[in-house]
Amino acid sequence: MGGQVDFDSFFRAEYHRLVAIGIAMVGDGDTAADLAQESMTRALGDWRHVGMLDSPAAWVHRVMVNLSIDRYRKRQREHVALSRLSSAPSSVAAEQSGECWSAVNELPDQQRQIVILRFVADQSMEQIAAALDISVGTVKSQLFRARHSLAKLLGAEEVVR
Amino acid sequence: MNIDEIIEQAAARARADAERHDAEGALRMVRQAGTGVLPRRRQAGRWLVVAASLIAVAGLAVGLALIAGRDPQRPSSPVSPSTATMVLVPPPPSPLPAAPPTSSTLAAAAADGLFSPGCVESLYGRTRGPDPLPTVTTPLNPISSTDLQPLPEQPALQIALPRSDPAASTGGGSTLVRPVPGGVLIAMSKQTGSKATPTGAGSLLAVVDATGSVRWVRCFEGYLAGVPAAAVVAPVADLPDRAVIGLRAFDGSIRWQVVSLVNGVTSPLHEVLGVDEAVFRRPMLLAGRHLYVTGGEMVDIDLVAMTTVPMPPYPAGTGADGRQMVVDGQLAIVLDGPDPHIVMALYRDGRWIQDGAELDRLLSTQISNDPEGQRIVATTPSGTELWSIAGASKSSAWPLANDRVLIGGCFGGGGPGPCQEPAVIVADRTSGEVVWRRHGVEPVVEAGDAYALVIPRRVDGTLGAAEMIDVATGADAGGPQLRADAAVWAADGVVGAIGPDVVSVWYPASAELPSRTVALLPGLAEPGGPATIPTTFPAGECRTADAAQTVQNFLELAQTSGLNAASRACALAGKNPSAERPDDWLVTLLPDSATVVEEPTGVSFDPASDAVIFEVRASERSPNLTGVLIRVVRGADDTYGVDDVLAS
């Protein structure tokens, strides 16, 4: 991206994507919004640095993913009761979404980060590699393993590419 | 569907849900937080006591446990005598600060018009006069604070809830119910504006005594933050007369309040704690006994004091992320390894513990899904695999007495679609030997050492009515069947079911409480009274249907009531007459008789044509249908039929 980015514009462009990441990872929109605000607060707090990055979005996505993982772990203990408290899923699709993200949350951290950044944040392999400070090859291999694991967990077909 | 399609579909849903959140309000909140109202503190290495005022918040940990039911993975610890007995007598109020009741600043017009009938405050001792506190003198002895007990057929309380006022509210909202001494705490929130673009919110908080009287009702502007997740923190053993609530304003800011469960008086949390209000102006998460104010720092509220706790420096070779938990009543920080099921270090008593044997002694065996293969695996905290179950995946695991564990999940029958072999098992936690297995039930709502509350899952994935089973044998334990359409919860041996109009609460049969009906607000019919169906709805607005909402029941309602189609559709939303295959009727009306669709995922009303539009998603059996909208209209003879398939 290069150059200083206006924070407010950046916020408006990325906020909903962050909330989506949070929803995928912690399953609760309110918590996701809290985490998104926390991520953005961190970005704003260091905006002179973050705003100059090639991809401030990648930076804040990574913060969001890490916060969500942390939050998810805390939530594991309350998972079952809360899932019932939050009322029955509004649809079969909602339940399937929940199962999908539950399966994603069973993955090792790095694979989970990659899946979320790839599918929810729509980041390219290169962007994910930059965000996580790993090689593109690692991203691809970890994504392959993640999809393999998810296919087993969800009883779905794998796509051979 | 292949795995990419499944994930992409879920991602699309997450993005759609995210769009409903107000970005501008969040931006204002972040801007406010970023102006340095609260200095960011990231220095590590010491525990810094900021304030030590006696506080009434005691119990975020226990409170969350109440909310969450029971910590499925926590180390088992004996229940202390002081908490082993549930007494339904509201305790005398412990002193709140001298601050006057804040109802004038919190109760707001925004709450008016959102509920039908409208929210009317009644603080105990103010509007209801100096009557003595209602008490229940029947102690529920002896009841463990964590164990389920046999339930009577009839609930002790059936509490009629206000509906959303169709003129103002989107109809969306949340309801949370938790047991408190002497009764139950009810928290409801409603939104104004459209569902997609809410413009405000209001909330209702009340305590209903087990005797069947409403102790007090409060009305607030704003959304009870995180309801039903974690924002209403129910009371704790040491100071059971109060709770913490978070009221989220529409701009995203949250006002944290301590509410007296005795009389409903609220006081700002920061005043109770004796700290600067700025402490709570930052985005904050509520988890366990801790309030997370900023990254790297938490506010630890234990039984008597509030402490800000910078994270200690992590030992070399461990990851950057720690998770906080309470081990034997003490705050601990756990650092996971690359494999999240392996604990690298535990911070406890001011030091890091990395010795495997000590970790295994302090933390309990983890029951988890092995992402590398379809199996359930039990590992010690230090990473030693003890046993596994091949071809299975768990949804939940509940530690039991005698070193046993109850696991709910899918045990075989892999392949596309819903789990073919949902089951609950009880196994030896050390050896993995299966003591018993019960097919066809899962998920588990709550499990104690004697009983578990489970929900039958049919092969098509739909859920049945919750029922109690004997943990020793897996056999039915009798008692009521809790409606499948209700959100079922259990805490402290109390079980409840939250329906759209009524909350039902069962106390253990040993309490021998009579069954009572209660109207939460004046003007509200008690359960069992004449049904109240709103007659007008905002154009185009209607609540999303429950998964179990059926077209069949829509028709039944439509043909037996004199209301317009919108009223019928909206009145139907949230109801669940639990038809076996709700889509069957719709199938017969579709132009393509060979097409099979799943039940509707949404319902809306087109006022121009007096038509109800059902959103139907495609199933694997009808791959030619995607995102179908089906228009059902009323004909000349006042019957309904499918008019058109609007999109595919």
Side-chain angles (χ1 to χ4, degrees), chain A residues 8 12 16 29 37-38 42 70 74 77-78 80-81 84-85 90 92 95 97 119 147 149 155 157 159 161, chain B residues 2-4 13 15 18 21 24 29 31 67-68 71-72 178 295 322 324 371 396 416 444 457 487 545 617:
Chain A
D8 286 6
R12 293 186 177 99
H16 285 136
Q37 288 183 29
E38 171 65 15
R42 294 188 187 191
D70 188 42
K74 296 180 181 73
R77 290 170 292 158
E78 43 184 280
V80 172
R84 293 301 304 168
L85 280 176
S90 59
V92 175
E95 186 165 337
S97 293
F119 287 92
R147 289 164 65 248
S149 298
E157 304 168 21
V159 181
R161 290 175 176 168
Chain B
N2 64 48
I3 188 61
D4 283 359
R13 185 178 182 85
R15 286 193 290 268
H21 288 264
E24 293 304 318
M29 179 66 184
R31 278 289 185 194
I67 290 170
D71 177 354
R178 286 293 119 207
Q324 292 72 41
S396 62
V444 180
R457 181 186 291 273
R617 75 172 187 85

Side-chain angles (χ1 to χ4, degrees), chain A residues 7-8 11-12 15-16 19-20 23-24 28-30 33-35 37-38 40-42 44 66 70-71 73-82 84-87 89-97 99-101 106-109 111 115 119-120 122 145 147 149-152 154-159 161, chain B residues 1-4 6-8 10-11 13-15 17-19 21-24 26-27 29-31 34 40 42 64 67-72 178 226 228-229 248 282-283 285-287 292 294-295 322-324 336 369 371-372 374 396 398 415-416 444 455 457 463 486-489 545-547 599 601 617:
Chain A
F7 178 78
D8 286 6
F11 185 99
R12 293 186 177 99
Y15 176 71
H16 285 136
V19 177
I23 289 173
D28 162 27
D30 285 336
D34 283 342
L35 294 173
Q37 288 183 29
E38 171 65 15
M40 283 296 192
T41 301
R42 294 188 187 191
L44 179 60
N66 286 337
D70 188 42
R71 179 60 175 157
R73 285 174 176 158
K74 296 180 181 73
R75 271 238 176 131
Q76 281 181 308
R77 290 170 292 158
E78 43 184 280
H79 169 71
V80 172
L82 289 180
R84 293 301 304 168
L85 280 176
S86 57
S87 78
S90 59
S91 67
V92 175
E95 186 165 337
Q96 289 185 337
S97 293
E99 289 176 359
C100 174
W101 299 130
E106 290 289 339
L107 298 175
D109 281 0
Q111 291 182 25
V115 168
F119 287 92
V120 181
D122 281 335
R145 294 184 68 187
R147 289 164 65 248
S149 298
L150 289 172
K152 282 189 172 180
L154 294 168
E157 304 168 21
E158 272 193 86
V159 181
R161 290 175 176 168
Chain B
M1 283 195 292
N2 64 48
I3 188 61
D4 283 359
I6 290 174
I7 303 174
E8 284 169 357
R13 185 178 182 85
R15 286 193 290 268
D17 289 345
E19 290 293 328
H21 288 264
D22 170 42
E24 293 304 318
L27 176 57
M29 179 66 184
V30 168
R31 278 289 185 194
R40 174 158 297 185
R42 296 199 178 198
L64 189 67
I67 290 170
R70 186 181 186 188
D71 177 354
R178 286 293 119 207
R248 184 195 303 276
R282 301 292 296 241
L285 301 177
L286 194 61
Y292 292 85
T294 64
R323 55 188 167 98
Q324 292 72 41
D336 296 319
N369 291 327
E372 302 301 324
Q374 192 175 8
S396 62
W398 306 76
V444 180
I455 298 178
R457 181 186 291 273
L463 302 176
V488 179
W489 55 264
D546 286 354
E599 57 198 305
T601 57
R617 75 172 187 85

Side-chain angles (χ1 to χ4, degrees), chain B residues 109-157:
Chain B
D112 295 340
L114 283 172
F115 296 96
S116 177
C119 185
V120 177
E121 288 208 326
S122 59
L123 269 69
Y124 184 83
R126 292 183 69 208
T127 60
R128 299 177 63 192
D131 299 337
L133 285 173
T135 58
V136 178
T137 56
T138 306
L140 301 183
N141 288 328
I143 296 173
S144 163
S145 63
T146 57
D147 262 6
L148 289 169
Q149 298 289 317
L151 302 176
E153 286 293 336
Q154 295 301 317
L157 292 172

